[in-house]
Amino acid sequence: MGDTLVEVKNLKQYFPVRSGFKTIPLKAVDDVSFTVGRGETLGLVGESGCGKTTVGRTILRLYEPTAGEVRFDGELVTDKNITAMRKEMQMVFQDPYSSLDPRMTVEDIIGEPLDVHHLCSNRKERREKILELMSYVGLNAEHARRYAHEFSGGQRQRIGIARALAVDPKFIVCDEPVSALDVSIQAQVINMFEDLQEKLGVAYLFIAHDLLVVHHISKRIAVMYLGKIVEIADSDELNEHPVHPYTESLLSAVPIPDPDVTRARKRILLEGDVPSPLKMPTGCAFRTRCRFATEQCAKECPALTDRGGEHFVACWNK
Amino acid sequence: MSEKLLSVQDLHTSFFTDAGEVQAVNGVNFDLDRGEILGIVGESGSGKSVTAYSIMQILADTGRIVGGKILYKGEDLSKWSEKQMQGFRGKCCSIIFQDPMTSLNPVFTIGSQITEAITLHTEKHGREAEARAAELLTLVGINEPEKRLKQYPFELSGGMRQRVMIAMALACEPDILIADEPTTALDVTIQAQILELMQDLQKKLGMAVILVTHDLGVIADMCDNIVVMYGSRICERGTAHEIFYNPRHEYTRGLLRSIPNVNNMKKKLIPISGSPINMLNMPKGCAFCARCDNAMKICLTEIPEELWINDSHKAACWLNVRDAFEGKEV
């Protein structure tokens, strides 16, 4: 991939957690590297608490990274002025109910990024731009003067997307953008994401826990477990030939909406729960639930290695 | 006809709010046999949870069953007193809720919450009840049950709490287990564990399960028969095969088109247009007609009756009536 837009290298994000008199680091993201190409969608999946949201937020510098670097268009994000940087990268949040200011009209919500970045010279231009953005996401002009509470979940998510698109970004972090929506509305929003990408060439980091949706929308998928990426591959490749035992069981656990297919399948059940990130196992974080764990897994953490055709896996035994 | 375990007949449940009456369940009928797993699927606000709550009579204060019958082994539950219902809940029929974080009492130990159910409904007390509680925790796959009984809910993970909820629900070996979105709050790998556990227990204990969910994947995996609800009514019902491979209601068809296709993941989704209906302002005709691509004149004014497609498959859609008139095979 020659055309890299976002490059994340050895990114670490630790949060200090008080435990008695000591402060111990919670390793939310631990040494994560990946790239997102121009106009590409990279899916990021994993269970709750695995650090996928933190990755998204750290890229946008909503958190300052503990270590590692994020490059956008070759430039270090941490060197750039934060306002200038946010003109290039935006975010769509999970909860369409809490991510919109209830005291602002739709027009002001979408207009705010335009004002912050001085993108419009006069009111008329601002108004036209807002209406254009609203038509992108399928909202009517008459909605402009209404408040967020007057809309349904799907429409609110559209407002959030229009706000993200206002500054004409090249990259949007979508943090679980459809999981709060009903199935029939999910498809509308997913299609909109795809149409906008086609039209505007924007790249997405699509964070979600619904593997079917991620498989549908993404070109490549990265699987995270306890702060680390365990596998990255082309989305079809990952679904057909998962290598890492965690990916394998994750995929087998997804209930498929097709009675014949889903009942013919064998689930690979994982024992127990995800360990606490404060008490991480030594070596490979997944070894406590892994069928193939050996002594080596307890000693050393495996690195992501290419298994051919851009399929990266971090596992000693597979 | 043999007597059904549970038979819901023309159930109407309404909520009386400041803004007016909200008819949350509007003429719902279904039967449940012993050992059957029935799935109720629909989007938020379609009345699927309220149907379940009506059976248990645990509606919010503003809610009331305004019509219809709920027959349990031939007796009408809606006529029962609160006292009789207390005997019914837990012993004959129990429920597990969506959110295991909030449905356990945080100030009591797991043990006292499970033994409470046991002492209330059975002859077992004290030590005996505790032994039974430990046995139940083993049954739902929790190790070190004696230790767990002394723990508080906050000490357990989400998946463990849901297991405790299931243990509590099974305490008196009910005939019916209602599971209201039992895995929605859980991660997929934990969801798989819980679903597997429910299937196992259902086979072992032979109870009937009503599974309320919006997740078509879970439904496809678990259920023998499926009821699809939209806008407080049943729009289609049938076996899992009929619903997934031969849907006869436009809403069911739309729903299946709007999820990623397993055989062709990159195929564009076909969403259902429009937004969910406003329950305070229900349309006169078919509730789905505003979002239906094939709506006809009659859909706007007349509510379609459920029509038999075959012995087990029923759908409430005027298109089926039209097809029948035009002599197409229904």
Side-chain angles (χ1 to χ4, degrees):
Chain A
M1 259 180 314
D3 215 5
T4 305
L5 183 66
V6 179
E7 188 182 7
V8 176
K9 224 167 153 190
N10 306 105
L11 188 71
K12 289 182 186 168
Q13 179 66 58
Y14 297 171
F15 297 108
V17 174
R18 277 257 184 101
S19 160
F21 290 111
K22 281 184 297 184
T23 306
I24 46 174
L26 185 152
K27 298 178 177 176
V29 176
D30 199 11
D31 212 356
V32 161
S33 306
F34 60 86
T35 57
V36 184
R38 236 170 264 278
E40 186 199 36
T41 304
L42 175 71
L44 190 58
V45 296
E47 293 175 273
S48 45
C50 74
K52 51 190 196 302
T53 298
T54 311
V55 168
R57 293 187 164 215
T58 311
I59 292 175
L60 287 180
R61 282 178 70 199
L62 287 171
Y63 305 133
E64 286 300 319
T66 311
E69 51 189 49
V70 179
R71 284 176 189 275
F72 182 85
D73 245 349
E75 274 183 273
L76 269 182
V77 164
T78 34
D79 287 351
K80 278 180 111 173
N81 175 300
I82 199 155
T83 319
M85 188 210 80
R86 294 251 170 89
K87 198 185 161 302
E88 309 289 339
M89 301 180 183
Q90 281 288 321
M91 184 150 185
V92 174
F93 297 90
Q94 169 171 7
D95 185 1
Y97 294 88
S98 61
S99 56
L100 301 175
D101 189 333
R103 299 209 270 186
M104 286 166 84
T105 60
V106 170
E107 188 174 0
D108 289 333
I109 290 172
I110 302 174
E112 195 173 21
L114 298 174
D115 302 340
V116 169
H117 296 279
H118 311 292
L119 294 175
C120 299
S121 47
N122 57 52
R123 294 191 70 84
K124 190 166 161 269
E125 204 183 319
R126 180 176 184 269
R127 172 98 186 148
E128 273 166 15
K129 178 81 184 163
I130 289 167
L131 291 181
E132 185 194 339
L133 285 162
M134 287 177 63
S135 73
Y136 273 169
V137 295
L139 293 169
N140 300 331
E142 69 205 55
H143 291 145
R145 304 224 183 255
R146 293 202 200 158
Y147 290 89
H149 74 90
E150 297 174 61
F151 294 92
S152 66
Q155 285 174 315
R156 283 184 218 207
Q157 203 55 293
R158 288 166 191 268
I159 300 169
I161 295 165
R163 175 176 63 182
L165 289 172
V167 296
D168 220 346
K170 294 198 187 81
F171 178 58
I172 299 180
V173 174
C174 312
D175 186 6
E176 304 260 12
V178 294
S179 45
L181 307 176
D182 267 316
V183 183
S184 66
I185 306 299
Q186 264 186 17
Q188 293 177 2
V189 176
I190 292 167
N191 276 0
M192 198 176 66
F193 272 117
E194 288 173 339
D195 292 344
L196 289 170
Q197 186 166 54
E198 229 165 77
K199 209 177 330 176
L200 309 171
V202 56
Y204 300 126
L205 177 66
F206 200 92
I207 303 170
H209 65 266
D210 185 335
L211 280 113
L212 287 178
V213 167
V214 173
H215 185 184
H216 172 79
I217 200 167
S218 315
K219 188 166 158 283
R220 287 184 307 138
I221 297 178
V223 183
M224 275 187 87
Y225 186 78
L226 274 178
K228 286 196 166 63
I229 290 181
V230 295
E231 188 162 358
I232 289 194
D234 178 80
S235 58
D236 290 328
E237 162 78 11
L238 187 93
N239 275 272
E240 278 155 36
H241 310 288
V243 176
H244 198 281
Y246 177 65
T247 315
E248 212 184 351
S249 56
L250 196 64
L251 290 173
S252 83
V254 180
I256 292 174
D258 186 325
D260 282 347
V261 177
T262 195
R263 286 171 201 200
R265 245 174 5 146
K266 182 102 190 73
R267 285 197 200 112
I268 305 167
L269 283 188
L270 288 178
E271 296 283 316
D273 291 307
V274 186
S276 154
L278 285 172
K279 279 183 246 155
M280 285 259 240
T282 56
C284 173
F286 184 60
R287 71 178 168 85
T288 51
R289 301 169 81 193
C290 183
R291 295 180 292 159
F292 306 101
T294 57
E295 267 175 47
Q296 191 182 17
C297 303
K299 279 186 204 136
E300 245 182 305
C301 185
L304 271 179
T305 50
D306 196 347
R307 307 292 167 97
E310 301 270 328
H311 191 151
F312 294 89
V313 184
C315 183
W316 291 119
N317 304 313
K318 281 282 188 159
Chain B
M1 198 182 80
S2 69
E3 197 176 77
K4 299 283 182 193
L5 180 62
L6 184 80
S7 175
V8 175
Q9 297 178 354
D10 198 27
L11 179 71
H12 289 261
T13 302
S14 289
F15 288 91
F16 296 89
T17 65
D18 293 341
E21 181 183 346
V22 178
Q23 298 182 334
V25 177
N26 214 334
V28 162
N29 296 290
F30 62 84
D31 293 329
L32 183 73
D33 275 323
R34 268 166 227 282
E36 177 187 341
I37 304 185
L38 176 77
I40 303 181
V41 64
E43 44 196 275
S44 30
S46 61
K48 55 191 196 304
S49 288
V50 178
T51 305
Y53 294 170
S54 301
I55 296 170
M56 294 286 279
Q57 296 192 25
I58 47 171
L59 297 162
D61 288 343
T62 49
R64 215 168 59 226
I65 297 176
V66 289
K69 286 179 188 164
I70 303 167
L71 300 179
Y72 171 72
K73 294 183 179 169
E75 284 186 66
D76 190 359
L77 291 181
S78 56
K79 302 265 185 315
W80 282 16
S81 66
E82 178 55 25
K83 187 115 196 189
Q84 282 172 301
M85 277 312 290
Q86 279 174 12
F88 172 77
R89 293 186 203 117
K91 196 158 189 185
C92 309
C93 176
S94 44
I95 185 162
I96 44 181
F97 297 98
Q98 170 174 359
D99 191 356
M101 308 293 166
T102 52
S103 39
L104 289 166
N105 191 333
V107 299
F108 289 103
T109 60
I110 302 298
S112 69
Q113 295 186 56
I114 302 178
T115 43
E116 184 188 6
I118 298 169
T119 42
L120 268 176
H121 293 293
T122 65
E123 300 295 302
K124 294 193 176 81
H125 291 282
R127 287 273 162 72
E128 256 182 290
E130 246 168 59
R132 170 77 181 140
E135 192 185 307
L136 283 164
L137 287 187
T138 320
L139 183 73
V140 295
I142 294 181
N143 45 17
E144 299 176 85
E146 277 81 16
K147 187 181 133 200
R148 298 287 180 204
L149 285 176
K150 295 194 183 69
Q151 287 186 321
Y152 289 89
F154 76 89
E155 296 176 86
L156 305 180
S157 66
M160 288 283 231
R161 280 180 233 194
Q162 199 59 288
R163 281 167 195 266
V164 171
M165 284 299 296
I166 295 174
M168 216 185 280
L170 299 180
C172 308
E173 296 180 0
D175 298 325
I176 305 165
L177 176 69
I178 299 175
D180 183 18
E181 306 260 8
T183 57
T184 308
L186 306 173
D187 277 315
V188 267
T189 58
I190 310 295
Q191 166 172 294
Q193 290 175 1
I194 298 289
L195 293 181
E196 192 94 7
L197 173 72
M198 283 178 54
Q199 275 169 331
D200 266 5
L201 291 173
Q202 195 269 336
K203 275 191 205 113
K204 220 183 275 177
L205 308 174
M207 64 201 167
V209 177
I210 299 177
L211 181 67
V212 178
T213 180
H214 68 271
D215 189 329
L216 288 163
V218 173
I219 287 274
D221 202 343
M222 297 279 291
C223 300
D224 309 320
N225 293 307
I226 297 169
V227 166
V228 185
M229 285 188 74
Y230 187 82
S232 76
R233 288 171 196 278
I234 293 181
C235 56
E236 186 167 6
R237 70 178 81 209
T239 62
H241 260 260
E242 285 157 352
I243 297 290
F244 278 92
Y245 301 130
N246 186 23
R248 299 305 297 260
H249 191 282
E250 280 300 299
Y251 174 64
T252 321
R253 285 185 192 137
L255 209 55
L256 290 170
R257 275 196 300 256
S258 64
I259 48 177
N261 186 319
V262 204
N263 302 314
N264 184 3
M265 283 310 274
K266 296 293 179 237
K267 203 173 126 192
K268 205 148 176 74
L269 306 179
I270 306 167
I272 301 176
S273 54
S275 31
I277 41 162
N278 178 358
M279 300 293 281
L280 277 168
N281 189 10
M282 293 283 274
K284 206 169 137 212
C286 172
F288 186 63
C289 77
R291 302 174 73 187
C292 181
D293 294 333
N294 299 315
M296 303 178 288
K297 252 188 208 155
I298 192 166
C299 304
L300 292 166
T301 50
E302 304 276 337
I303 294 171
E305 289 283 315
E306 277 193 283
L307 189 76
W308 288 104
I309 309 292
N310 62 35
D311 289 347
S312 54
H313 194 177
K314 244 177 164 185
C317 182
W318 286 116
L319 290 170
N320 292 326
V321 180
R322 184 192 67 184
D323 288 354
F325 266 110
E326 288 175 1
K328 283 185 204 160
E329 198 189 327
V330 178

